[in-house]
Amino acid sequence: RPGPFINQLEGLFMAELALVRIDARMIHGQVVTQWIKRLRCTRIIMVDDQFSADPFMSKVLVMAAPPGVKFDLISTKQAGEQWQKDQFGSVGPIMVIFKNVVTMYNAYNAGFTFPRLQVGGLGGGPGRVNVHGPITLDETDAKQLKEIEDKGCSIFFQVNPDTGSEEWEPIRQKYFPNI
């Protein structure tokens, strides 16, 4: 059993999660200029299985990060492992970005269990419903959001810091009442 000194040290190696967000646009002007500045994030972690396995896209995304902000691109498996190991270390506050609901869902089930999730940008397509401004969901997204909510994650929808937010439950009841 670790003594009190070890317990104090463990707290030093835990980064603060400022925002965990789903945004299909990933790193773009809105995220960089608004959320990062307002939340004073010093690190961005993008979780994406496809891009993390692609060296060229990794380099492109690193170049899109603002100067002075640490950027990491990791897989869903790595997100779970790193969170379980040391909660992403000591560099923070951190903004974590997922491209879509399924990637977030896979990372959550791999062990990256965060307390609050912001859904901020998901475009349209066949079978998708506008649920909050330009944010769309399909039935699979709704089922996965409901499942992680049932595990204790609070979910809200907000496009940018200057727009209002809306909690998941009223959205679910209105657009996906059978889920």
Side-chain angles (χ1 to χ4, degrees):
R1 182 171 163 212
F5 179 71
I6 296 297
N7 289 337
Q8 288 172 356
L9 283 178
E10 286 175 357
L12 296 174
F13 299 107
M14 218 173 87
E16 171 196 350
L17 285 178
L19 182 63
V20 177
R21 178 179 171 90
I22 297 174
D23 195 325
R25 300 161 297 180
M26 299 182 297
I27 297 186
H28 60 90
Q30 193 172 3
V31 169
V32 172
T33 61
Q34 293 185 21
W35 289 113
I36 296 217
K37 286 181 182 177
R38 289 197 189 194
L39 299 171
R40 296 186 174 103
C41 294
T42 59
R43 184 176 179 195
I44 299 169
I45 298 175
M46 181 180 294
V47 181
D48 188 273
D49 290 330
Q50 179 184 357
F51 290 152
S52 66
D54 182 335
F56 174 75
M57 281 307 298
S58 297
K59 289 177 185 177
V60 169
L61 291 167
V62 166
M63 289 187 293
V69 176
K70 181 174 173 29
F71 178 83
D72 295 299
L73 177 58
I74 61 177
S75 70
T76 54
K77 181 181 178 196
Q78 289 170 315
E81 289 170 352
Q82 289 181 21
W83 184 254
Q84 294 299 312
K85 179 184 171 192
D86 65 1
Q87 297 190 334
F88 299 138
S90 60
V91 177
I94 298 173
M95 174 187 224
V96 178
I97 304 172
F98 300 101
K99 181 172 57 176
N100 52 41
V101 175
V102 70
T103 301
M104 173 281 305
Y105 178 81
N106 290 341
Y108 194 92
N109 286 320
F112 174 34
T113 54
F114 40 88
R116 190 141 166 87
L117 172 68
Q118 178 188 75
V119 180
L122 292 171
R128 299 188 71 78
V129 178
N130 269 76
V131 297
H132 180 87
I135 301 170
T136 69
L137 297 175
D138 63 18
E139 191 169 312
T140 300
D141 292 338
K143 286 178 182 176
Q144 291 175 342
L145 290 172
K146 176 72 171 124
E147 187 178 320
I148 69 154
E149 178 194 49
D150 289 345
K151 293 179 180 180
C153 182
S154 172
I155 303 166
F156 69 105
F157 293 68
Q158 185 173 11
V159 177
N160 65 56
D162 297 323
T163 61
S165 67
E166 187 174 1
E167 296 296 318
W168 161 239
E169 189 54 27
I171 289 173
R172 187 198 62 76
Q173 288 176 8
K174 182 175 181 178
Y175 296 102
F176 301 98
N178 297 325
I179 293 177

